[in-house]
Amino acid sequence: MKTTRQQQEATRRQIVASAVDLMTRQGFDGTTMKDIARAAGIGDATIYKYFPTKDRIVLGYLDDVAHQALADTLQMPGFAGYALQEKLQRLTDAVLERLLADREFVDQVRGLARRSPLSMLAEPLAARQSLREAVASFLEAAEASGEIEPCDFKGLAGS
């Protein structure tokens, strides 16, 4: 039986949520892929169809946070009328608000990034492109309104 895209996304979200819960309680090193699969209610081998490693699950969490924060930000009533600084502040606040709910886990992620920084940088986050485009569009709107002088670093600033 073939699973739908919605079922796959629900399973992916359940894996990430289970990993966050387990890693918060047991630590990154104390949690296995098998533990996460069982907590998510999937087969031990199925988890690898979604995430090949625990590092990738962590990156999946960060990607979800960035996507959700950007969506929350862009859906704010009156957001289009915000000044550039307000838009950037709102986006930053939205990311921090999302991370706050899982602060113990996020603290572990920071430790993991310090211990193995390349593992956190090696895999490009899908949300990175969305964030880059959003910040570039904020800058373009600020240029168009005369709020800031024209700049040729929009792509770099978005990164």
Side-chain angles (χ1 to χ4, degrees):
M1 183 166 119
K2 187 173 181 170
T3 58
T4 67
R5 187 85 163 132
Q6 290 173 330
Q7 290 169 321
Q8 290 173 348
E9 187 54 34
T11 298
R12 185 189 169 289
R13 283 192 308 272
Q14 184 58 44
I15 291 168
V16 171
S18 296
V20 168
D21 179 57
L22 287 171
M23 289 180 193
T24 298
R25 290 187 286 118
Q26 301 171 187
F28 181 85
D29 293 329
T31 302
T32 66
M33 291 291 277
K34 186 182 227 180
D35 294 337
I36 298 167
R38 291 190 177 168
I42 60 173
D44 294 351
T46 303
I47 194 170
Y48 294 100
K49 293 178 182 177
Y50 292 87
F51 298 100
T53 66
K54 291 188 296 182
D55 288 351
R56 297 283 173 89
I57 297 174
V58 170
L59 291 172
Y61 166 83
L62 295 172
D63 198 48
D64 290 349
V65 164
H67 272 299
Q68 293 166 356
L70 182 57
D72 292 347
T73 299
L74 296 175
Q75 292 172 7
M76 287 203 62
F79 182 75
Y82 285 18
L84 176 61
Q85 182 177 347
E86 293 169 319
K87 288 179 179 178
L88 295 172
Q89 185 64 56
R90 182 60 219 135
L91 179 57
T92 302
D93 289 348
V95 169
L96 294 174
E97 288 164 5
R98 290 273 175 188
L99 293 174
L100 184 62
D102 301 312
R103 62 185 157 276
E104 294 88 3
F105 175 73
V106 171
D107 188 47
Q108 288 189 36
V109 171
R110 287 180 57 223
L112 178 62
R114 280 191 300 270
R115 185 174 78 195
S116 180
L118 292 180
S119 69
M120 294 289 110
L121 298 173
E123 181 71 22
L125 299 176
R128 185 174 290 157
Q129 182 62 31
S130 298
L131 290 170
R132 183 179 298 127
E133 291 169 1
V135 171
S137 74
F138 299 167
L139 291 167
E140 287 171 6
E143 280 180 351
S145 71
E147 183 180 351
I148 63 171
E149 294 293 320
C151 60
D152 58 355
F153 60 85
K154 288 184 284 296
L156 180 61
S159 295

